[in-house]
Amino acid sequence: MAAALAPISFPHPGRRALRRRLADFLGWGLCGLAFLLLGSATVWILVVIFLRGMSALHLNLLTQVTQGTAGGLLNAIEGTLVLALGGILLALPPGLATGIYLAEYDRGRLASIIRFLADVLVGVPSIVVGYFVYVAMVIAFGWGFSMAAGSVALAIIGLPYICRTSEMAIRQVPRSLRDAAFALGASDARVTFTISLPIALPGITTGILLALAIGVGETAPLIYTADWSNYLWTGHLTKEPIGYLTYVIYAFITQPFESAHALAYAAALLVTLFVLIIGVISRMLLVRSSRAL
Amino acid sequence: MPNATRNPPETGGGIDFGAALPGASGNETAAGRERIAVRNLNFYYGSHQVLFEVQETVHEHEILALIGPSGCGKSTFLRCLNRMNDTIPGSRLEGEVALDGRNIYGPGVDVIALRRRVGMIFQRSNPFPFTIAANVAYGLKVNGLARRRSEFEAVIERSLRAAGLWDEVKDRLDKPALSLSGGQQQRLCIARALAVEPEILLMDEPASALDPITTTRIEELAIELKARYSIVIVTHNLQQAARISDRTSFFLMGRVVETDATRKLFTNPSRQETEDYITGRFG
Ligand SMILES: Nc1ncnc2c1ncn2[C@@H]1O[C@H](COP(=O)(O)OP(=O)(O)OP(=O)(O)O)[C@@H](O)[C@H]1O
Ligand SMILES: [Mg+2]
């Protein structure tokens, strides 16, 4: 091999070879630089959040509610969980149903329209979704700032992710398994529920977790719909503002108080941990499911 | 079955009837009454016609082998017999496939019930990624054929025995089916198909991905099963067709060139194309 290539570029490195080496060097250099920038930015963000968050973190945060710009984060932690889970609960039935429909029941026009809409929905800025829910639910329906309005906003944002990941996961179920079930006399619905869904479950779960992570990290749509509350949620679906962690980050970091900054960094650490843990779980699920098939 | 190696399949050479498995009649008379009658069957994938005016019959207690070069429509024909092609968008069928005198493509036919009566074994074994027991039980559940645990257990044992797999798996029914060997997986698929007590078994090259010993086992199994079922088997292995089938049908470019008693078709075919194919002049 080497002998065959030799006459082309070696042993006399001409202008061409030099240029190639230069391009090579530049290419790798730029790649390395980009990696360094990206890597260092990520590491820097994580380090700052962890250092400042850890020093602000203590047990009171988890047991007390916020008082003005001091106190704890219990109300915000609870609110974030309630809103994110509420959003998932609302988005899951239509998202999964649409994913099943796209994967197994429609190969025509309607499917491509739905796919296009889902892609558009992914691209809509979340603050626009928040504003829409504000106009429609908070004002027109008279729900006020509330858990319901916030959950609807998060559901709309999570919907396309759940829908598309479910579709992908179901599509990856081998055709031969579906054929085997059909040949045994299973109906379409039967095959969906006893073959496709169980086998696609890890992939579907990944989509749900992704939507959950996005919900936990959202701020803008919640400002328009959930507002903020210093108190624990009393369980009213409407007309009761509810707190959440990202609000603390957004609103408290600009306050001129040390206690406010500490709360903001603690909230940032909690949100980051949430998202990291969800990410790790979904990674593990994906690895397990690809091994199973 | 301790004597699985008794008749290793031939490799190459002519068609040797000396190697016919015990129980394979390979004889001229069709075994029983007519179960399936196919008349003037045309089949299209979109605008591409794959089957032309196919006529065929399948009798009770017989093995009908389908042979022919790759792409001539054997699998497509087989899938017409249990309406598996229904699941392929854009496909279209003309003509009639009658099961016990009733057109299965006629109005008001219950496709689900049809597929229970006409079972199918695929070329590549395709066990569900569930346990061994759950694989065999699947058809029972889907068709509501068993209710109590003891009923399930009885059918699972009976089916696995019939597929010659019971002794190998009886202690690990709750283990994943994918932990079985390739040959065991294919026999599991056979057990899964037998569990719903079909009347006719369609086998699409069931042994093409398997080693010679397992192939012999599946052939022996087919001959055993013939006592209770009718079997239509697609095979690329002419020796296999000669060993196990009662009648053989030669497909060429979507047409049935001839169907005859296996011994006759392999020793004294009436058509030149058949002779060319079985003597290896093409295909
Ligand atoms: N799902 C499909 N859509 C379109 N065309 C198909 C489809 N399945 C098969 N065909 C075509 O139909 C023809 C017959 O295919 P078929 O699978 O029935 O052949 P076969 O005799 O079983 O071949 P082999 O021996 O290779 O399995 C081929 O030309 C094939 O390309
Ligand atoms: Mg085929």
Side-chain angles (χ1 to χ4, degrees):
Chain A
M1 265 320 227
L5 288 175
I8 302 169
S9 54
F10 296 105
H12 305 294
R15 282 173 64 98
R16 291 264 282 289
L18 258 177
R19 210 153 73 202
R20 201 156 56 208
R21 271 199 219 167
L22 197 67
D24 209 38
F25 179 76
L26 269 177
W28 279 111
L30 285 175
C31 277
L33 204 67
F35 175 75
L36 221 68
L37 272 173
L38 198 72
S40 56
T42 312
V43 169
W44 183 66
I45 290 171
L46 286 180
V47 165
V48 168
I49 289 175
F50 270 81
L51 285 183
R52 303 202 60 166
M54 288 304 263
S55 63
L57 210 58
H58 55 87
L59 215 61
N60 289 351
L61 291 183
L62 305 178
T63 57
Q64 294 177 4
V65 296
T66 317
Q67 289 150 3
T69 55
L73 289 172
L74 185 59
N75 51 323
I77 295 170
E78 185 208 34
T80 288
L81 291 177
V82 165
L83 287 166
L85 290 177
I88 294 295
L89 241 63
L90 288 176
L92 188 57
L96 186 56
T98 315
I100 293 170
Y101 177 78
L102 290 178
E104 301 204 324
Y105 291 89
D106 189 320
R107 295 160 194 87
R109 242 340 223 305
L110 186 59
S112 47
I113 294 173
I114 294 176
R115 268 187 217 109
F116 175 72
L117 288 180
D119 289 345
V120 169
L121 201 53
V122 170
V124 172
S126 60
I127 195 164
V128 176
V129 172
Y131 183 68
F132 164 76
V133 174
Y134 172 75
V135 171
M137 276 99 194
V138 176
I139 303 294
F141 289 8
W143 289 5
F145 294 114
S146 59
M147 178 268 174
S151 294
V152 167
L154 293 184
I156 295 175
I157 291 163
L159 186 65
Y161 292 97
I162 292 184
C163 166
R164 293 310 295 273
T165 43
S166 314
E167 183 196 348
M168 298 296 174
I170 295 170
R171 256 178 211 289
Q172 271 164 21
V173 175
R175 171 89 219 176
S176 62
L177 297 183
R178 291 166 37 81
D179 274 352
F182 282 126
L184 288 167
S187 61
D188 283 332
R190 209 46 190 246
V191 173
T192 298
F193 283 102
T194 59
I195 304 292
S196 305
L197 284 184
I199 296 173
L201 194 63
I204 295 170
T205 312
T206 309
I208 295 172
L209 290 176
L210 182 64
L212 198 65
I214 291 171
V216 167
E218 277 294 352
T219 322
L222 293 178
I223 292 172
Y224 274 117
T225 53
D227 195 16
W228 164 255
S229 164
N230 278 331
Y231 305 102
L232 284 178
W233 184 54
T234 62
H236 289 99
L237 293 180
T238 58
K239 297 193 172 141
E240 184 195 351
I242 182 170
Y244 43 92
L245 285 168
T246 45
Y247 178 88
V248 178
I249 308 172
Y250 158 77
F252 286 18
I253 202 74
T254 49
Q255 298 288 321
F257 311 110
E258 196 50 47
S259 67
H261 293 175
L263 281 184
Y265 276 109
L269 177 62
L270 289 177
V271 168
T272 310
L273 281 178
F274 258 137
V275 174
L276 279 180
I277 290 169
I278 292 173
V280 168
I281 293 176
S282 60
R283 256 295 142 78
M284 283 176 359
L285 272 176
L286 272 190
V287 169
R288 272 231 330 248
S289 72
S290 61
R291 246 189 245 136
L293 283 182
Chain B
M1 281 174 230
N3 50 4
T5 55
R6 188 176 47 201
N7 288 299
E10 262 71 10
T11 48
I15 312 300
D16 179 4
F17 282 92
L21 295 176
S25 55
N27 61 16
E28 282 71 22
T29 49
R33 77 191 156 97
E34 187 177 283
R35 298 301 308 272
I36 294 183
V38 178
R39 279 183 278 278
N40 305 331
L41 182 71
N42 289 300
F43 189 86
Y44 308 79
Y45 290 114
S47 58
H48 174 46
Q49 183 167 4
V50 192
L51 294 177
F52 300 82
E53 295 296 319
V54 171
Q55 319 278 348
E56 196 73 81
T57 52
V58 183
H59 299 264
E60 200 155 59
H61 308 310
E62 80 165 348
I63 299 181
L64 172 68
L66 309 181
I67 60 170
S70 181
C72 67
K74 305 180 296 294
S75 297
T76 303
F77 173 73
L78 203 65
R79 292 165 60 93
C80 286
L81 301 183
N82 64 345
R83 295 190 57 168
M84 277 301 283
N85 287 324
D86 288 16
T87 61
I88 298 173
S91 65
R92 188 159 61 82
L93 176 141
E94 294 164 355
E96 187 182 288
V97 178
L99 173 60
D100 293 337
R102 183 154 181 238
N103 186 7
I104 63 170
Y105 288 91
V109 168
D110 181 356
V111 181
I112 310 279
L114 168 75
R115 295 203 185 123
R116 190 188 72 68
R117 293 175 64 194
V118 185
M120 189 162 213
I121 315 291
F122 297 82
Q123 176 173 6
R124 306 209 136 263
S125 66
N126 50 4
F128 302 127
F130 312 147
T131 65
I132 294 171
N135 265 275
V136 184
Y138 185 82
L140 297 177
K141 282 196 190 134
V142 161
N143 292 288
L145 295 177
R147 299 252 175 270
R148 286 202 307 278
R149 197 187 157 81
S150 57
E151 291 176 313
F152 276 107
E153 282 170 354
V155 179
I156 288 171
E157 176 171 349
R158 177 166 52 70
S159 311
L160 286 169
R161 278 192 194 283
L165 191 61
W166 175 251
D167 291 330
E168 289 156 71
V169 301
K170 63 173 182 253
D171 300 321
R172 46 179 180 142
L173 293 175
D174 55 348
K175 293 282 178 312
L178 296 177
S179 68
L180 296 173
S181 77
Q184 288 173 328
Q185 289 188 17
Q186 187 63 304
R187 278 180 286 148
L188 177 64
C189 292
I190 294 177
R192 183 175 64 182
L194 295 181
V196 299
E197 300 194 0
E199 299 155 38
I200 291 158
L201 267 186
L202 310 175
M203 301 182 148
D204 195 350
E205 302 184 49
S208 65
L210 302 177
D211 65 284
I213 291 175
T214 320
T215 301
T216 310
R217 272 194 111 144
I218 293 201
E219 290 179 9
E220 286 172 339
L221 191 58
I223 289 166
E224 278 170 36
L225 295 174
K226 177 171 93 162
R228 299 173 55 195
Y229 309 91
S230 306
I231 297 177
V232 185
I233 183 168
V234 173
T235 178
H236 270 290
N237 181 334
L238 299 183
Q239 280 82 16
Q240 183 173 71
R243 271 196 300 272
I244 68 173
S245 71
D246 301 293
R247 290 190 307 136
T248 299
S249 203
F250 173 53
F251 276 65
L252 186 61
M253 297 199 299
R255 292 172 200 278
V256 177
V257 174
E258 72 176 289
T259 304
D260 214 331
T262 299
R263 185 185 292 272
K264 164 110 179 13
L265 188 124
F266 279 110
T267 51
N268 185 18
S270 20
R271 297 285 297 269
Q272 186 61 42
E273 296 100 311
T274 316
E275 181 160 352
D276 290 347
Y277 183 71
I278 60 177
T279 54
R281 245 168 270 169
F282 75 88

